[in-house]
Every structure is written in C-alpha cells, then in structure tokens.
Amino acid sequence: MALPVAFFALFFAWPVAAITARGLKADGTWHLGRFAGVLGRSDIRHVLWFTTWQALASTALTLLVALPAAWVFARLEFPGKQVLRAVVTVPFVLPTVVVGTAFLALVGHGGLLDELWGVRLDTTVWAILLAHVFFNYAVVVRTVGGLWGQLDPRQEEAARMLGASPLRAWRQVTLPALAPAVAAAALMVFLFTFTSFGVVQILGGPAFSTLEVEIYRQTSEVFDLTTAAVLTLVQFAAVGAILAVHARTVRRRETALRLVDASVTARRPRGAGQWALLGGVLATVAVLLVLPLGVLVRRSLDAPGLGYYRALTDADGGTFLVAPLHAVWTSLEYAVAATGIALVVGALAAAALARRDAGRLMRGFDALLMLPLGVSAVTVGFGFLIALDEPPLDLRQSWFLVPLAQALVGAPFVVRTMLPVLRAVDTRLREAAAVLGASPWRVWREVDLPLVRRALLVAAGFAFAVSLGEFGATVFIARPDNPTLPVAVARLLSRPGELNYGQAMALSTILMVVCAAALLLLERLRTDRTGEF
C-alpha cells in the first residue's frame, strides 16, 4: 500500500496543496479572509449557482432518459445486446473535448440543425444539458441496469399474485431495492457534471461557466490565483461530500440485497408494451448518442478528397510547432505510459483494499482514490508546474509529466475494476499455496493472476481510454511541440477559419474511433455480463 499512498501524496495532494497555498498566500502572509471577498462577488455567485443548477438539471434529465434503457438491458434479451451496450458506453470514454465538438457540429453555427431548420443551440444551456446526458447516459444504464438485472423478479411477481398492480408492485418492491443503485448513479452523474470542463468550455460561450471553467479562466487568463484557490477549495469540499455520500450508497447496495445470476432474469420481449419500450430505447440511442457522432464524422469529410485529414500532416507554424497528426502518436505514447503507471498503482491499491482485515482507515483511502475524478484537473495541472519545479523532482521539462497526470485519472478506474474480482478470490487458495511452501510472489503469480487476468486487461483498457482523453490537466503541461489529441482539438477550435474547424473535426473523429475500438475490445474481454463498469 506504500506505493499507491506515496504516488497520490506526491502527484496529487502536493501539487493541489502547493497551488492552493500559492493563491491564498501573498507577501508572506495568509489571506484566509479573502474567502468572503471572493464568494461575495456577484460573478462568482453566478458561477456557483449555474454550476449547481446545471448539475442538478443534467442529473435529473439523465435519469429520466436512461432509466428505461436500464430496464431494457436488465430484463430483455435481444440480438445485438452486447454490441448495443458497447455503443451506449462509447460516449462515456470519449474525451469531453470530443463530446463538445460533436455537439458543436450538431447544434452550432453551420451545424446540422442550423443547415436544416436554422436552429442553433451552441451557446444555450440546452446544448450543455444534452451533451451531459450524452456523456453520462452509460453511467445510469450500467450502474442501475447492472443491479436491476440481478434482482430476483419472483419478489415482484409474488406481489402481483397478491393483487398489487404492476405500478404498485414496482413502486413498493423493486424501487426500494434499486434505490441505492439509482442514488449511486445520480451522485456520479452529478459529480461529473458539477466538475464539467471541456463540454462547458466549448458549448457554454462567455455566458456560462462552471467552477472548473472559472478556475481555468482565473488561472490562465486573469492570473488571479487567489480567486482560483478559493474556488478550488469550494469544489474540493463539494466533491468530498459527494464522494462520502456515494460511498455510503455503494455499501448499502453491496450489503442489503440478495442477488441472482443476471443471465436468468433476462427474457425475450413479450407483448406490445415491451417491444415499444425496446424500440423507444433504440430510437433514443440513435438520436441522442449515434447522431452527434455521425454528424462529427460527416463534418470531418466535408472537404473533398479527405482534405481535412490530409491537412493534418502539415505544420502551419501558427497553431502548432508540428503537424497536427503528430498529436495522434504523441497521445498514444503518453496513454500507454499512463496506463502502465495506473495499472501498477491501481492494482496494488485494489489488492490492499481487498484484504479481509482492511479497516476503516483503508476504506477511507478507497474514497480518497476517487478524488482525482472530481477535484479540479486544471488545479492539478497548474500545480504540477508549481510543485514539481525543483530537484529531485524537477519534471517541468520532462515528457513524463503528462503520463503522470493522466495516470491520476486512470488509477481510480483500475481500482474500481479490479477490486470486486480480487474480493471474490477464495482466500483459502492463497493459504493452501502458502502452506505448500510458495512465496508471496509465487502465490500471486500462480493463484491470483490467472483469476484476475481478464479483469486486469479490462482495467488497462479503461485506463488507456480515459488517459487518452484527459484534457483539464494536460492543457497546462503538454509541450507545444508534443500536444495531445484533446489539446490539439481545443487549440484548433480556438482559432478562426474553416480549415481549423475541419481539422478539429477530423482529429476528434480519429480520437473517437480509437476510444470506440478500445471499448469494443473491452466488451469481449469482460468476465461478467452484469453490465456494470
């Protein structure tokens, strides 16, 4: 456990503390009284209000749209179900910059809606809300649907036999059992939308700003580190509270229910109602999830002869010091290195957490591992530049800085994927091997590794996908001669001109294809079919 603790302390806690302290300290004295000054500003109050309001609205809208799909995946069996589950999950692993770009191609100036009906939603809150539903749809489908598929349907059938109507049986039997999963999914959606950055930065325009976007603006444009530090601490407190509540809901879900094999609860659709619901879910997936990505691909092909893709091979000397296509290979190299780091750190942390004698302190560390998903990535990235600037850790000029930041985001996914599998390993197998004289290393190699190998591959795939799309921290630390794909897309979108816009669409399409291919491979490697992450 020493290595994971040291990694998170050195590359997460220290940079965040360093940049926050820099902002709250001036002329050698602490200015804690500036909290009231910053939070009392009308523009900051507007940011706090909009951040909370859009997160609540996005969460409610996502639950409304995704819960029917959770039931379909849990209770119905139909051809192409696994492929459809992968399609549903593709948006979740896409970089937020790509999501924003896709909706920009759909609802922005010159987008599909603008071409067909003259409708533009690119700088309205509706574009942000729809993009958040697009991004978080899979969180509800897989979290709630995974548990729903394992609930024993005979309990609801018994209530029906005793005279309860279908609605009453669902409300009084199934809904209470699903409540922990629904609450966990809602909290995760709220967390992701509360800390939204790439989507709001691209679609929000100057009128809409979340805490994360405002931290970025105060840090990189206004250079007001005090305001950025105050907002970082506010976001940190909010994320900590969300994760604490989420941990309680997860424990309730794990301990309060008697579950059955999900494969025996799914049946082929019966009756017009179930077929209509299945058709409605398929239509929703096509319009909400597939259409934006299809429009993104179409816009990348607008130039004749794959002109936007061919332009990626030329360096114009303005936006980039290298050809934009170079960002593809740079991103792949960084993502592979970040995946290796995340696997080592995450697997060791999961192994420690899976021990039967893990106490309350260890469970608290489990919650802390999720903090990099919610704490301002902008703060982490800028903190890297502030904290890691002196020997023996002067890494500002090192290419390794980017994989380290990306691994912070990938490691929680490794832990979440590996932990259930490691907890399911029978400890008597390890004890028998140890009694027969096997060393701890040999026990792990010959007992644990064969049982968790496929889960390890799935964890590697998730870590690779999220590392490939990390943007908030990388935008600060990626070097001009080695931009990553998300940074390259953001830079192209920030410059005027049809060519820059088209190249951004082309790079986003390439990034989408790579992430989708990784996810489809993950679905084939999964050891379970519950549908959960």
Side-chain angles (χ1 to χ4, degrees):
M1 196 62 181
L3 180 61
V5 171
F7 177 80
F8 279 93
L10 193 60
F11 298 114
F12 176 68
W14 183 22
V16 171
I19 188 62
T20 304
R22 178 73 64 92
L24 294 177
K25 191 176 183 181
D27 301 325
T29 59
W30 291 91
H31 289 268
L32 297 179
R34 292 190 178 181
F35 270 89
V38 171
L39 298 180
R41 288 163 44 183
S42 59
D43 59 327
I44 297 300
R45 289 201 304 270
H46 176 74
V47 169
L48 291 171
W49 173 86
F50 177 73
T51 301
T52 305
W53 180 88
Q54 64 82 27
L56 289 171
S58 298
T59 302
L61 192 58
T62 303
L63 289 173
L64 179 66
V65 174
L67 281 176
W71 183 88
V72 166
F73 279 102
R75 294 305 193 205
L76 299 184
E77 190 65 46
F78 51 91
K81 182 177 178 179
Q82 296 302 324
V83 174
L84 184 63
R85 179 178 283 127
V87 171
V88 165
T89 314
V90 165
F92 179 73
V93 299
L94 285 179
T96 56
V97 170
V98 174
V99 175
T101 307
F103 274 82
L104 194 64
L106 178 64
V107 303
H109 177 67
L112 182 64
L113 297 185
D114 192 14
E115 290 180 0
L116 295 179
W117 300 293
V119 176
R120 290 177 56 186
L121 302 174
D122 52 326
T123 56
T124 71
V125 69
W126 276 109
I128 297 173
L129 296 181
L130 290 175
H132 283 161
V133 174
F134 170 92
F135 185 76
N136 294 291
Y137 188 85
V139 176
V140 177
V141 170
R142 301 188 72 123
T143 302
V144 179
L147 179 64
W148 209 335
Q150 296 178 82
L151 292 181
D152 193 342
R154 292 174 296 183
Q155 297 176 2
E156 187 173 329
E157 293 170 358
R160 294 281 305 278
M161 292 182 62
L162 293 174
S165 65
L167 179 60
R168 184 180 180 184
W170 180 84
R171 189 178 68 248
Q172 296 186 351
V173 177
T174 304
L175 184 58
L178 282 178
V182 174
L187 285 167
M188 290 309 298
V189 173
F190 184 85
L191 173 65
F192 291 139
T193 53
F194 187 84
T195 59
S196 182
F197 178 50
V199 167
V200 179
Q201 187 186 40
I202 292 175
L203 296 175
F208 301 106
S209 180
T210 57
L211 272 173
E212 185 80 355
V213 174
E214 189 64 20
I215 292 170
Y216 174 78
R217 191 178 74 86
Q218 294 291 336
T219 302
S220 63
E221 298 177 11
V222 184
F223 304 109
D224 185 350
L225 293 185
T226 298
T227 299
V230 171
L231 296 181
T232 295
L233 292 177
V234 170
Q235 182 168 308
F236 186 86
V239 168
I242 294 169
L243 290 177
V245 177
H246 179 265
R248 292 189 61 183
T249 60
V250 169
R251 285 197 295 271
R252 286 179 58 197
R253 183 180 64 178
E254 290 177 346
T255 59
L257 298 173
R258 182 175 62 86
L259 304 179
V260 298
D261 186 356
S263 62
V264 304
T265 64
R267 302 173 181 175
R268 293 187 63 83
R270 294 177 297 179
Q274 292 187 0
W275 281 106
L277 184 58
L278 176 59
V281 168
L282 293 176
T284 300
V285 170
V287 173
L288 181 63
L289 306 186
V290 177
L291 180 60
L293 300 180
V295 173
L296 175 66
V297 175
R298 187 185 74 86
R299 290 305 302 269
S300 73
L301 299 173
D302 277 352
L306 299 177
Y308 293 144
Y309 289 91
R310 288 190 288 107
L312 295 177
T313 62
D314 300 325
D316 60 9
T319 308
F320 302 101
L321 299 179
V322 294
L325 193 62
H326 181 72
V328 176
W329 314 118
T330 300
S331 290
L332 291 175
E333 292 171 356
Y334 285 163
V336 169
T339 300
I341 299 171
L343 281 178
V344 173
V345 173
L348 289 175
L353 293 169
R355 294 176 54 181
R356 304 290 182 182
D357 56 349
R360 181 174 299 180
L361 181 62
M362 197 70 74
R363 291 195 297 270
F365 183 71
D366 186 14
L368 291 177
L369 291 175
M370 297 289 289
L371 278 178
L373 296 180
V375 171
S376 172
V378 171
T379 301
V380 174
F382 200 29
F384 267 40
L385 299 180
I386 298 296
L388 304 180
D389 62 342
E390 295 179 357
L393 284 175
D394 186 0
L395 301 176
R396 287 183 301 174
Q397 301 301 319
S398 173
W399 70 272
F400 206 59
L401 199 62
V402 175
L404 286 173
Q406 293 175 341
L408 283 172
V409 183
F413 285 90
V414 175
V415 174
R416 297 270 70 80
T417 304
M418 296 289 299
L419 191 55
V421 180
L422 287 171
R423 283 175 173 166
V425 176
D426 193 340
T427 57
R428 291 174 297 182
L429 297 176
R430 301 189 185 104
E431 294 168 354
V435 168
L436 293 175
S439 64
W441 165 252
R442 187 176 180 184
V443 170
W444 180 87
R445 190 180 69 246
E446 297 188 9
V447 176
D448 289 79
L449 183 59
L451 296 174
V452 304
R453 182 184 293 115
R454 290 172 69 89
L456 193 64
L457 292 174
V458 172
F462 271 117
F464 178 82
V466 298
S467 299
L468 196 65
E470 205 287 321
F471 175 62
T474 308
V475 70
F476 275 95
I477 58 181
R479 296 167 53 180
D481 58 340
N482 281 306
T484 63
L485 273 170
V487 172
V489 170
R491 289 180 184 174
L492 286 167
L493 287 174
S494 68
R495 293 174 61 88
E498 186 65 26
L499 180 60
N500 287 318
Y501 183 80
Q503 289 183 90
M505 297 294 165
L507 276 181
S508 297
T509 301
I510 292 173
L511 188 50
M512 177 192 70
V513 170
V514 173
C515 290
L519 189 65
L520 289 172
L521 180 61
L522 292 184
E523 284 298 322
R524 297 183 63 87
L525 290 173
R526 292 183 68 89
T527 56
D528 65 90
R529 295 300 173 193
T530 65
E532 293 189 74
F533 288 110

